[in-house]
Structure formats: C-alpha cells, structure tokens
Amino acid sequence: MTEVEVKKSQDSLQDRLAQVIDLLQRQRVVEDLTHRQEGQHNSLVESLVHRQNLVELQRKLDDLHPADIAYILEALPLDDRLTVWQLVRSDRDGDILLEVSDAVRQTLIADMDDHELLAAAKEMDADELADLAPELPRDVVHELMETLDAQQRERVRSALSYDEDQVGALMDFEMVTIREDVSLEVVLRYLRRLKELPGHTDKLFVVDSDGMLKGVLPIKRLLVNDPDKQVAEVMATDPVSFHPDDDAYDAAQAFERYDLVSAPVVDKSDRLIGRLTIDEMVDLIREESESEVLNMAGLREEEDIFASVWRSLRNRWAWLAINLITAFLASRVIGLFEGSIEKLVALAALMPIVAGIGGNSGNQTITMIVRAMALDQVSPGNTSRLMRKELAVSLINGLVWGGVIGVVAYLLYGSWSLGLVMTGAMTLNLLLAALMGVLIPMTLVRLGRDPAMGASVMITAVTDSGGFFIFLGLATIFLM
Amino acid sequence: MTEVEVKKSQDSLQDRLAQVIDLLQRQRVVEDLTHRQEGQHNSLVESLVHRQNLVELQRKLDDLHPADIAYILEALPLDDRLTVWQLVRSDRDGDILLEVSDAVRQTLIADMDDHELLAAAKEMDADELADLAPELPRDVVHELMETLDAQQRERVRSALSYDEDQVGALMDFEMVTIREDVSLEVVLRYLRRLKELPGHTDKLFVVDSDGMLKGVLPIKRLLVNDPDKQVAEVMATDPVSFHPDDDAYDAAQAFERYDLVSAPVVDKSDRLIGRLTIDEMVDLIREESESEVLNMAGLREEEDIFASVWRSLRNRWAWLAINLITAFLASRVIGLFEGSIEKLVALAALMPIVAGIGGNSGNQTITMIVRAMALDQVSPGNTSRLMRKELAVSLINGLVWGGVIGVVAYLLYGSWSLGLVMTGAMTLNLLLAALMGVLIPMTLVRLGRDPAMGASVMITAVTDSGGFFIFLGLATIFLM
C-alpha cells in the first residue's frame, strides 16, 4: 500500500481517543434531541449541528494515521465503532483493515458491502490480500482473484497455501533485486529510476539470471563504498535466510537475536521468492506472548473487549467446562473422607489452605517452565536438573510455610498431631505441584500442543485434588 | 560495538546447543578419569584428550554470533556456563554481556576480575556502558569513567540519570546528522567519507547549526531522488520524535504502530540528543510481555532457570506469603460455619467447587482486562460498559454451570434445596469474580502499580473467601 507520512502530533493517542469519544457523545445528544423533536420546526437547526459535528469528526479522522484509527476503532464499542468506520475515507479502508485486530476486523467487514470490500482490497499487495482473504466473503475473494494478473494471483495462492505460523504466510514480495556483476554506480542509478523503494528496505537482494540468491547488498555498504566497485566485491554472501515452510516464530527469534530489519526467503533450490520484514516479526512477537498469557488463563483467543456476551461465552466455556469436571473430581475426593470430616470438622477449614498454597506454588513453577520453553532453554539434557531444583525449592517452601501453618493450626485447634499432619500435607502437595509444574508443559509439548494451554487450570486441578487427598488421607491415618 | 556479520548455518540453534552440551559432557568424563587416575602414568594422554576437547569447543564458540553464545550460556547450568564463558575470546566478552539476560549476566560478571571487566567495557558505546554500569563493581565503574572523554562521560551520566523505563535510558548516540542547505550529492559524498554507518540507519537527521532538529532524510528518499536536489526539498519535516523522559513502553508502541526502524530523541527545545532504534524496542516489547506473565503468577522477576534454589525462593516468597495469609483468611471463613458443616458434611465436599470455578472465571476476566489495559483500550469512558459485559457473561455462566452442578448435587445427595443453594452460590460467586476481575487491575493502576501484579493471587483470594462465605452462608440460612 502507499506509504503514509507519520506526523508528530501534540496530542497523545489517548487524548485523540478522548476527543473522538467526546465528538461521538455530542453527536448522540444531538441525535436524541432530533429524535424527540421530530415533527417540530426547529429540526433544521439540529440537523445542521448534527452535520457540523460529523464534519469535525471526519476531519479529525482524516488527519490520523491508519494505525491510530485502528486503535480508536478497537477501543470503541460496536455502535460507536461503526459510526466512526462509516466516516473514514473509503480509500483508507484497506490500510485500516490490515491494522485492526482479527476480532475487530470481523465486525468491520460485516458492516461493508461487497462493493466496498472490493474497493478496499484492490489497492492491496498480494501478501496483504492473503492476510485478509480468509475473512472475506467467498464471492468477494473470487471476484478479487479475477482482477489480479497471473503473477499476483500466483502469489496470493502461494501465501494462502501456508499455515499462519509459517514464514510463507508472512513474507511479502516487494524486493529490489540486482545482479552481482554491475558497479554500485549502476545500482544507484537503477534505484533512482525506481522512484520509490519498498518499506524496510535495508538491503538489496543479489540474484543471478535464474533468480538464485547470491548474497545481499546492505544499503549501508552501498552508501559508504566507492561507486566504482562491483556489487560482488561489496555484498555479503551467505546471509541469514529463511524457507517458506520454516516456523515463523523461529524466524522472529532470529530477527530479534541478529537485529535484522529484512531477510530473504528462498525455496529449496535457493531461488529468491520473497522477504520477511521486522514489522511483521514485531507483530508476531506481540501475538505470541499474548496467546501465551491467554492460554495460561484458559482463554481460547484474543477477545475484543467489546465482544458480544455470546462471543465471550464461547471463548471461555471450553476451559470453564474442564474446570467444572476437575472441581467435581476434587469434590469427590473430599467425599471419600466425609467420615473423617464429620469426626473432626477442623479438617474442612484447613484443607483449602493445603490446596491453595499448592496451586499458587504450582502456578509459579509452570509459568517459569513455560517461559523457559518459549525461549528454547529447556532441552532433554537439563530436564532432570530443572526438576531437582524445583523439587528442592518446594521442599523448603513446604517445610517453612507448612511449619508456620502447622503452628497456627496447633494454636487454633490445640492439637500437635493436627499441626504435624498440616505441615506434612503442605510439603507433599508442594512437591506434587513442582513435579506436575514441570511434567505438564513437557508432556503437552511432546504431544505437539502449546505448553501454555490451560496450564493454570490443569495445575490447579492437580494441586486441588492432590492436596485434599494428601491432607485428608494423612489425617485419616494419623488422627482417626 | 563492531558489527558482526551473521552467517547462515546449516545447524539450528538447538543443534548447536546440543553440540556444546555434548562437548562439555565428554570433557567432564575426561576430567573424572584424570581425577581418578591421578598419580598414575597415563595422565598425559588424558590431559591431551582434555585439551583437544577444549580446543574443539573453543573453535565452535568462535564461529557463533554473540547472541547465539548468549543463548547457549542462558541454557547451561552454572558450572558448565562458566566453563564456556572462560573459553570465549575475551574481545567478545562485551558483546555477549550485552546480550544475556540480567540474571545470567550477574553470574558472568561475578566470575570476572576487574581487569577483564575493564577490557570488556572499553569497547562499548556510551549507551551500552550505561546499561551495564549498575551491575558492575563500584571501583570498576569509577576507573571506566576516567578513561572516557568528556562527551562520552557526559552521555553515560545522562543515560544513567533516567529510569530504565524512560526513553533516555534506551537511546543511543550513533546518529548521522546533516544540514538542510546541501544537495543530496554532498550528502552521498559525506556518507562515503564516513566509511561505516551505525546499525539501523534508515534515516539521517537534519539539524541546524545549533543542533535543532529540522527534519529527517529517509535513506530511501536519498536513494531515489535526483542528487542535485537540496536536502530541504526532500526531507520529511515533523517526524515522529521522542523526549528522553517519555515512557519507553509508549515509544515501543509507537514504533510498532508506525513501523519505525529509528527515531530521533530531542530535548525540550527540540535539540537532537539521541535516537531510538527498533532492536531496543523489540527487546522492550518482549520484556514487557514477559513481566506481565510473571507478575500475574506472582513472580517478582525473570528467573534464570538454573538460578540457585535460594534465589528462586527469594523470587517466589513474597506472593507465596501473601497467598498464605489469604488462604488462612479463607480457612477462617470456613471456621465460622463449622457448626453447619458438622450438621451437613456434604457442604465440605461441595464448597471447593464454588470457590474453584469462581477462581477460574475470575482469572479469565482479569487476564482480559490486564491485556486490554496494556493495549490502552480501557478508559474511564468505557469502564461501566466493560463491567456490564463481564457481569452478563458471569450471570449466564453462573446460571448454566451452576444449574448443571446443582443437578449433580441433587443426584449425589438427594436434596433439591442443596442443589438450589449450590446454583445460587455459584452465580453469586461468579458475579463477584467478574466485579473484582475488573476492579482489581483498575485500582492497581490508579495506585500507580502494574495492573498484572499478583493479579492471579488476588483474584483467587477473593473468589476463595467469597465463595466459601456465600455458599456456607446460603446453606446456613436455607438448609439449617
């Protein structure tokens, strides 16, 4: 898409959002008035005010960067969001659709007719079209593909053939390619003829006549070297490159590690087919850590904060239902010991402490491990060492805090043996929490799942049922 | 620091880590043998093998990018880590220290003497020195400052005067500045004389004779425009710029939103004093989301996965202790109703279900809200709307899942009234969870704290105590 000049603004983004909300509210007041006084004679004045408000809002929106409009759309509830969306100049629709989150994009697309969608999509590059295509109505996609030339169509098809977590789905095709047997002077003249360079062009790609990647020419080297030198003398051979079926997250880590701005994507025979840029990688890093947070809490996907209640319910039900089952199992564990509880009702009051501390400690361990796995720091070679460390931490925590709460139990109920059972149960449950905090994410990875998936729900299930069983079991053995 | 050429490698990073671990293990076997056979005659052979192993390891390390060595150091337990660290060529120490995580950096610095530290720090730029200075011994910092020239010393001082979450602490000073009244041809010749450009130079900074920022000249424009044009004709006036006391995280969001690679930092009178680059911003985005995950689980800071047990305990104790207090309070809530539990022991088995589902649902809500706050999507204008949505979701969840579990309670214990109490308690506790899931992070923000801080521990505390009180209270009123 065309590049947008980013201008400095005196207002922060939050201020600008507040201004938009303010205009929307004034708007609504006017609408209410107009509505109430319908049929009366002063509605002409009202409708003038109405119009003036909208014009002011529209002017404000025209000044904003598409990314800022996207932010404002995301922060508005549905009705206000659509009011703003209709005021946005239609030639900016495409840019904005590419910036908003998936959840918000769906609400915007639902509000557009086929004609508007086609117009918005027409200005997009192949890789941007491929991003959007899965969410567009089928016949719109069909019509779009027909307007493309053969090369573009092929690129969209290719991008769509990869999973969204593969490099092939994220690469773009805006590469500047040069030959190695020309002088830098020739390259400089060639660039001048192009009139515009693609965004994030920090290097040019050096290819041979078959399109094979021979190296890259960093713009920095182009600028500081003698123009009479040949490209081959100055270029970097053997640069970091990616394959379209590489894992996109690995690529993002490489960008982060090697401070890359762009990198070539080549096929199996080393033919240049596209490039990755840092902006896509930053988005990916952000999304990845977001999905980790959401997964740990048992949420399926990012939720537009103004999503309908129904959408929210669907997002949250899967893990709530699983939690219901695990809570029921924990309840049945307690049911096994109803006899003991009837004899010593203090057990009912103390048992949630054992389960609760186990849950907290287990969550700390599992968070640590999931983090380390995301950073590729856990390997089969160090698993047993990690496990020993977590068990040692738990043992100490169990003895120390279990000891404290054991003394408290003695003070409350006047029984030393009850205090000792408490300390023992805490220690054992914390050891169980450490063991499962390491094993659960590792098992999930071995099963090919995301290690963060519902981690919190699962570890809590184990420490609840386990805690109740250990505490009530020990109590039944030693106190009954 | 000098720029390192990144080479493509056939091995993945994981493979390379595995190779290093393998060499270390062979090494250890040899050392064990040498140790056991001390005083015997074949120790010469052993020591040759020993030496050969180390040389191979050293050669492998010399081939690796500093970021890759940093990754390997982070993935190794302390003793192996220090073995590898001693094998690294000392002129690369500085680069690697800047790449490793804070926790690992401390272990490496502790292993170096003052002389080595000084040598490593000598090659650093002012902004890099400022990053490292807080962790270096006092006298090393003192000696370092004396070796710097006045400008460098001033820059280090200035960088150290900002908080680590301010732009001033993250900016570097490697800017290429030009005047607006020269032609592009002159700029091109000037760049050639520089021999090398700083990393991430995607734009040149246009300043007047007082150092005031007049605009920026994107390299892209420099390349595609006629060399006879003046800088003033081609430059972008009014670019996105930052102040040194701006919030660094806001700056990172601006980089992400506007797809920036570098941006100028100016003081209050618009004088250019430094620049920000995307690589620092990517690190910040990563750190920010990490600390969010850790904070939610009640961990104080990132923990080196091979941290000593003692360090791990310190990291985890604060929130465990808080959890102990909240668990004790929950236990006391149950204690209030011991009479009811004695009469109807089923209450003891059912009460954790009410508390558990409340905790899960509350964690989902709080995760959602913390996310939205991190993205600046929550404003006073939409709080009540958000609250209503969360309450509606909870009401439906409470009635549906509470209804299910009410039926189950009836089937288990044969009492309709017990089932109804269960459904009512679930619904009320989920409403409480939604309310607190919104209010806790909002209150933390209003108190100037991180909204994610111990979010999980706090919401669980509320849903536990609240759940027990609601369930046992309703049971005492309606069933006793």
Side-chain angles (χ1 to χ4, degrees):
Chain A
M1 294 233 121
T2 56
E3 206 175 342
V4 185
E5 187 91 331
V6 180
K7 298 252 175 168
K8 199 165 62 180
S9 163
Q10 300 305 330
D11 312 326
S12 81
L13 201 49
Q14 288 250 25
D15 290 343
R16 283 180 261 170
L17 173 60
Q19 289 162 10
V20 169
I21 289 177
D22 183 53
L23 280 169
L24 282 167
Q25 243 145 18
R26 266 196 270 162
Q27 180 61 20
R28 216 172 302 128
V29 171
V30 175
E31 270 171 10
D32 279 2
L33 277 174
T34 321
H35 197 71
R36 245 179 272 158
Q37 298 171 344
E38 225 159 359
Q40 291 181 30
H41 298 287
N42 55 354
S43 68
L44 182 65
V45 180
E46 302 295 351
S47 112
L48 273 175
V49 176
H50 181 149
R51 179 151 308 212
Q52 199 189 337
N53 255 326
L54 287 183
V55 168
E56 194 178 337
L57 189 52
Q58 194 152 27
R59 208 169 37 220
K60 197 145 238 112
L61 292 172
D62 286 347
D63 283 347
L64 291 175
H65 188 279
D68 293 344
I69 299 182
Y71 159 79
I72 287 172
L73 290 170
E74 285 172 5
L76 291 174
L78 192 60
D79 45 356
D80 286 348
R81 185 186 296 157
L82 295 182
T83 307
V84 169
W85 184 231
Q86 277 144 14
L87 289 177
V88 167
R89 276 208 333 264
S90 61
D91 60 333
R92 309 183 74 193
D93 282 0
D95 281 316
I96 296 167
L97 281 179
L98 291 170
E99 295 278 354
V100 292
S101 69
D102 288 356
V104 170
R105 190 187 290 161
Q106 286 175 14
T107 65
L108 298 180
I109 287 180
D111 188 56
M112 296 168 79
D113 61 32
D114 287 7
H115 179 73
E116 288 171 312
L117 283 171
L118 274 172
K122 240 167 213 158
E123 290 171 56
M124 293 184 185
D125 293 327
D127 62 306
E128 295 168 334
L129 271 183
D131 281 355
L132 212 58
E135 291 167 57
L136 293 177
R138 232 189 139 82
D139 47 333
V140 172
V141 175
H142 196 76
E143 206 167 322
L144 259 176
M145 292 295 266
E146 282 185 353
T147 64
L148 298 176
D149 63 36
Q151 188 195 34
Q152 287 286 77
R153 194 155 45 217
E154 191 37 54
R155 285 174 170 177
V156 174
R157 284 232 176 81
S158 133
L160 284 172
S161 69
Y162 293 102
D163 278 351
E164 60 171 355
D165 58 356
Q166 284 186 311
V167 164
L170 294 176
M171 67 184 181
D172 67 50
F173 306 96
E174 304 176 84
M175 308 155 289
V176 179
T177 57
I178 53 173
R179 293 291 159 83
E180 60 179 329
D181 56 358
V182 298
S183 69
L184 299 188
E185 181 62 41
V186 171
V187 173
L188 286 168
R189 265 187 283 135
Y190 170 62
L191 294 182
R192 248 165 243 146
R193 277 209 308 276
L194 287 181
K195 295 271 188 293
E196 195 172 309
L197 297 184
H200 295 96
T201 298
D202 72 322
K203 51 177 68 86
L204 309 175
F205 301 107
V206 185
V207 294
D208 66 13
S209 55
D210 295 328
M212 300 294 163
L213 184 71
K214 310 299 286 182
V216 297
L217 176 65
I219 296 285
K220 281 164 45 175
R221 295 198 191 173
L222 173 65
L223 287 172
V224 299
N225 277 287
D226 183 346
D228 292 334
K229 282 193 183 165
Q230 295 287 103
V231 168
E233 294 174 69
V234 179
M235 71 182 187
T237 51
D238 237 10
V240 179
S241 63
F242 300 94
H243 292 292
D245 47 5
D246 283 351
D247 181 74
Y249 193 59
D250 288 346
Q253 284 195 324
F255 265 74
E256 200 179 340
R257 189 172 287 133
Y258 308 128
D259 294 340
L260 302 175
V261 172
S262 74
V265 179
V266 296
D267 67 12
K268 289 216 167 53
S269 52
D270 249 7
R271 210 167 52 85
L272 179 69
I273 51 174
R275 63 161 196 165
L276 288 179
T277 53
I278 180 74
D279 53 329
E280 291 283 349
M281 298 296 110
V282 171
D283 291 348
L284 195 67
I285 290 171
R286 161 89 62 193
E287 277 167 30
E288 186 74 20
S289 27
E290 280 177 10
S291 77
E292 186 182 313
V293 178
L294 297 175
N295 276 337
M296 290 199 68
L299 291 159
R300 283 204 312 183
E301 56 186 37
E302 185 167 11
E303 197 178 295
D304 163 14
I305 53 165
F306 297 106
S308 68
V309 169
W310 172 236
R311 282 190 83 88
S312 300
L313 285 170
R314 276 195 309 176
N315 191 24
R316 302 179 192 189
W317 267 7
W319 282 102
L320 265 189
I322 292 173
N323 189 227
L324 201 73
I325 295 167
T326 65
F328 177 72
L329 290 177
S331 160
R332 287 294 79 213
V333 169
I334 300 171
L336 292 178
F337 297 96
E338 278 182 1
S340 306
I341 295 174
E342 251 172 345
K343 280 187 224 151
L344 185 60
V345 75
L347 297 181
L350 292 174
M351 65 186 189
I353 299 182
V354 177
I357 305 288
N360 183 336
S361 177
N363 266 305
Q364 289 183 337
T365 299
I366 211 166
T367 302
M368 226 59 240
I369 303 288
V370 167
R371 292 267 64 217
M373 292 182 122
L375 299 174
D376 268 339
Q377 288 177 350
V378 177
S379 63
N382 57 29
T383 310
S384 67
R385 193 186 270 260
L386 252 181
M387 183 74 91
R388 262 178 290 148
K389 178 193 140 198
E390 289 299 327
L391 288 175
V393 170
S394 283
L395 184 66
I396 298 178
N397 274 335
L399 293 174
V400 171
W401 300 117
V404 169
I405 211 77
V407 171
V408 172
Y410 161 71
L411 294 175
L412 277 174
Y413 297 99
S415 154
W416 269 119
S417 47
L418 181 61
L420 281 175
V421 163
M422 193 75 194
T423 306
M426 282 267 286
T427 309
L428 289 176
N429 199 32
L430 287 186
L431 289 173
L432 178 69
L435 190 72
M436 299 310 285
V438 177
L439 288 184
I440 288 175
M442 288 195 172
T443 309
L444 283 171
V445 165
R446 207 154 297 168
L447 296 176
R449 299 307 184 88
D450 182 342
M453 199 182 64
S456 182
V457 174
M458 288 203 264
I459 192 76
T460 308
V462 171
T463 52
D464 272 2
S465 290
F468 295 141
F469 184 79
I470 291 167
F471 176 63
L472 296 175
L474 288 181
T476 304
I477 294 170
F478 293 108
L479 307 178
M480 296 298 126
Chain B
M1 298 232 118
T2 55
E3 205 174 342
V4 186
E5 188 91 328
V6 180
K7 297 252 174 164
K8 199 166 60 177
S9 163
Q10 300 305 331
D11 311 327
S12 80
L13 201 48
Q14 289 251 27
D15 290 342
R16 283 179 262 170
L17 172 61
Q19 289 161 10
V20 170
I21 289 177
D22 182 52
L23 280 169
L24 282 167
Q25 242 146 17
R26 266 196 270 162
Q27 180 61 19
R28 217 174 300 126
V29 171
V30 176
E31 271 170 12
D32 279 3
L33 277 175
T34 322
H35 196 72
R36 247 180 269 157
Q37 299 173 341
E38 226 158 357
Q40 292 183 27
H41 296 287
N42 54 353
S43 67
L44 182 67
V45 180
E46 302 295 352
S47 113
L48 273 176
V49 176
H50 182 149
R51 179 151 311 213
Q52 200 191 334
N53 255 328
L54 287 184
V55 167
E56 194 179 336
L57 189 51
Q58 195 152 27
R59 207 169 37 219
K60 197 144 239 114
L61 292 172
D62 286 348
D63 284 346
L64 290 176
H65 188 279
D68 292 343
I69 298 182
Y71 159 78
I72 286 172
L73 290 170
E74 285 173 5
L76 290 175
L78 192 58
D79 45 355
D80 286 348
R81 184 186 298 158
L82 295 183
T83 307
V84 169
W85 183 229
Q86 277 144 15
L87 289 178
V88 168
R89 279 210 330 266
S90 60
D91 60 332
R92 311 183 73 193
D93 282 1
D95 280 316
I96 296 166
L97 281 180
L98 291 169
E99 295 277 354
V100 293
S101 69
D102 289 356
V104 170
R105 187 187 292 160
Q106 286 175 15
T107 65
L108 298 180
I109 288 181
D111 189 56
M112 296 169 81
D113 61 31
D114 286 7
H115 179 72
E116 288 172 313
L117 284 171
L118 274 172
K122 240 167 212 157
E123 290 171 56
M124 293 184 186
D125 293 326
D127 62 305
E128 295 168 335
L129 271 184
D131 281 354
L132 212 57
E135 290 167 56
L136 293 176
R138 232 190 138 83
D139 49 334
V140 172
V141 175
H142 196 76
E143 206 168 321
L144 258 177
M145 291 296 264
E146 282 184 354
T147 65
L148 298 176
D149 64 35
Q151 189 195 33
Q152 288 286 78
R153 194 154 47 218
E154 191 37 54
R155 286 175 169 176
V156 175
R157 284 232 176 83
S158 132
L160 284 172
S161 70
Y162 293 102
D163 279 351
E164 61 171 355
D165 58 356
Q166 284 186 311
V167 164
L170 294 176
M171 67 184 180
D172 67 50
F173 305 96
E174 304 176 83
M175 307 155 287
V176 179
T177 58
I178 53 172
R179 292 292 160 81
E180 61 179 328
D181 56 358
V182 298
S183 69
L184 299 187
E185 180 62 42
V186 171
V187 173
L188 286 169
R189 266 187 282 135
Y190 169 63
L191 295 181
R192 250 166 241 146
R193 278 208 307 278
L194 287 182
K195 295 269 188 293
E196 197 173 308
L197 297 183
H200 294 97
T201 298
D202 73 320
K203 50 176 70 86
L204 309 175
F205 301 108
V206 184
V207 294
D208 65 14
S209 55
D210 296 326
M212 300 295 164
L213 184 71
K214 309 300 285 182
V216 297
L217 177 65
I219 296 284
K220 280 164 46 175
R221 294 197 192 174
L222 172 64
L223 287 172
V224 300
N225 277 287
D226 183 347
D228 292 333
K229 281 193 182 165
Q230 294 287 103
V231 168
E233 293 174 68
V234 178
M235 72 181 186
T237 51
D238 239 9
V240 179
S241 64
F242 300 94
H243 293 292
D245 47 5
D246 283 350
D247 182 73
Y249 192 60
D250 287 347
Q253 285 195 322
F255 265 75
E256 200 180 339
R257 189 172 288 132
Y258 307 129
D259 295 339
L260 303 174
V261 172
S262 74
V265 180
V266 297
D267 66 13
K268 290 218 165 50
S269 52
D270 249 7
R271 211 168 50 86
L272 179 70
I273 52 174
R275 63 161 197 165
L276 289 179
T277 53
I278 181 74
D279 52 329
E280 291 283 351
M281 297 296 110
V282 170
D283 291 348
L284 195 69
I285 290 171
R286 161 87 63 192
E287 278 167 30
E288 185 75 20
S289 21
E290 280 177 8
S291 77
E292 186 181 312
V293 177
L294 297 174
N295 275 337
M296 290 199 67
L299 293 158
R300 282 205 311 185
E301 56 185 36
E302 185 166 12
E303 197 178 296
D304 163 15
I305 54 166
F306 297 106
S308 67
V309 170
W310 172 237
R311 282 189 83 88
S312 299
L313 285 170
R314 276 195 310 176
N315 191 22
R316 304 182 192 187
W317 268 8
W319 282 103
L320 264 190
I322 292 174
N323 188 227
L324 201 73
I325 296 168
T326 64
F328 177 73
L329 290 178
S331 160
R332 289 294 78 213
V333 169
I334 299 171
L336 293 178
F337 297 97
E338 277 181 2
S340 306
I341 294 174
E342 251 171 345
K343 279 190 227 151
L344 185 60
V345 76
L347 297 182
L350 291 175
M351 66 187 185
I353 299 182
V354 176
I357 305 287
N360 183 334
S361 175
N363 265 306
Q364 290 183 337
T365 299
I366 211 166
T367 303
M368 226 57 240
I369 303 288
V370 167
R371 292 269 63 219
M373 290 181 123
L375 300 174
D376 268 340
Q377 288 177 350
V378 177
S379 63
N382 57 31
T383 312
S384 67
R385 192 187 272 261
L386 252 181
M387 183 74 92
R388 262 177 288 148
K389 176 194 141 198
E390 289 300 327
L391 289 175
V393 170
S394 283
L395 184 67
I396 297 178
N397 274 334
L399 293 174
V400 171
W401 300 116
V404 169
I405 211 76
V407 170
V408 172
Y410 160 73
L411 292 176
L412 278 173
Y413 298 97
S415 153
W416 270 119
S417 46
L418 181 60
L420 280 175
V421 162
M422 194 74 194
T423 306
M426 284 267 285
T427 308
L428 289 175
N429 198 31
L430 288 186
L431 289 173
L432 177 69
L435 190 71
M436 299 309 286
V438 176
L439 288 184
I440 288 176
M442 288 196 173
T443 309
L444 284 171
V445 165
R446 207 154 295 168
L447 296 175
R449 300 307 184 89
D450 183 342
M453 200 181 64
S456 182
V457 174
M458 289 203 265
I459 192 76
T460 308
V462 171
T463 52
D464 273 3
S465 290
F468 295 141
F469 184 80
I470 292 168
F471 176 63
L472 296 174
L474 288 181
T476 305
I477 295 171
F478 293 108
L479 306 178
M480 298 295 129

